[in-house]
Amino acid sequence: DADVTQTPRNRITKTGKRIMLECSQTKGHDRMYWYRQDPGLGLQLIYYSFDVKDINKGEISDGYSVSRQAQAKFSLSLESAIPNQTALYFCATSGDSDEQFFGPGTRLTVL
Amino acid sequence: EDKVVQSPLSLVVHEGDTVTLNCSYEVTNFRSLLWYKQEKKAPTFLFMLTSSGIEKKSGRLSSILDKKELSSILNITATQTGDSAIYLCAQTTSGTYKYIFGTGTRLKVLA
């Protein structure tokens, strides 16, 4: 079984809808991250969390919110989706070293 | 603001060629630089370089950190079609566990 899982893997939604992307990990890591990837723009950090009580904004947090329900779970919400939030979203974790472990990604399309 | 720049943006070579990918960073309190390979979906970890570990090698891939020039290179010798991917570099800084990613280099290896 994968160490970092994301659901859903693909989602098509309409402008204005609320969307939640979920991430779970079995690695026992405290640090979890949400990234967005657009073609030609690499990975941009949306939010990150160092434990259930510590949530931090990344470079592109506007229009997004997160919830760290437990050490193993970190959810990303789009309160009112817009077309320019169409992208590939990755969850990642890290532990004692700087190596990050990525989930398989969620491809989100906002019509 | 910290920034990571990768070059070239894209590269097309033939099997057997040697390629060198570049990553430069502008950051204070540098802690580590990481290289990832991204094929179809999630990035997979290749190397981590730090001030105490400036050279890494694994098979045909090797990477060097130049602390003076604030840059790193990723070398791939005897390229194969399976090396076709986007190669990402990211840096971390002391006192934080944020990762700043470059935009990536898209490598295509032709048979």
Side-chain angles (χ1 to χ4, degrees), chain B residues 66-84:
Chain B
D66 187 332
K67 292 183 289 183
K68 185 177 178 182
E69 297 295 326
L70 300 183
S71 65
S72 175
I73 60 171
L74 175 68
N75 278 321
I76 308 175
T77 60
T79 52
Q80 303 170 357
T81 56
D83 295 326
S84 296

Side-chain angles (χ1 to χ4, degrees), chain A residues 53-71:
Chain A
K53 296 181 182 179
D54 182 44
I55 304 290
N56 303 278
K57 292 183 177 181
E59 47 192 330
I60 57 163
S61 59
D62 288 347
Y64 302 94
S65 62
V66 292
S67 173
R68 185 82 183 265
Q69 301 95 323
Q71 186 204 39

Side-chain angles (χ1 to χ4, degrees), chain A residues 9-10 31 33 35 37 40-43 45 48 50 59 88 90 94 97-100 102-105 107, chain B residues 1 31-32 34 36 38 40-45 48 86 88 92 96-104 106:
Chain A
R9 297 291 307 277
N10 290 281
R31 295 189 290 275
Y33 304 78
Y35 292 95
Q37 188 174 36
L41 291 179
L43 293 172
L45 182 62
Y48 58 108
F50 293 163
E59 47 192 330
L88 187 56
F90 287 106
S94 66
S97 78
D98 281 347
E99 180 182 352
Q100 279 194 312
F102 286 84
R107 186 168 296 280
Chain B
E1 186 174 311
R31 184 174 72 234
S32 66
L34 302 99
Y36 289 86
Q38 185 178 21
K40 293 181 179 177
K41 278 291 180 76
T44 54
F45 174 77
M48 182 171 71
I86 296 172
L88 298 164
T92 66
T96 175
Y97 287 96
K98 285 175 60 175
Y99 296 72
I100 307 297
F101 280 84
T103 56
R106 184 181 294 273

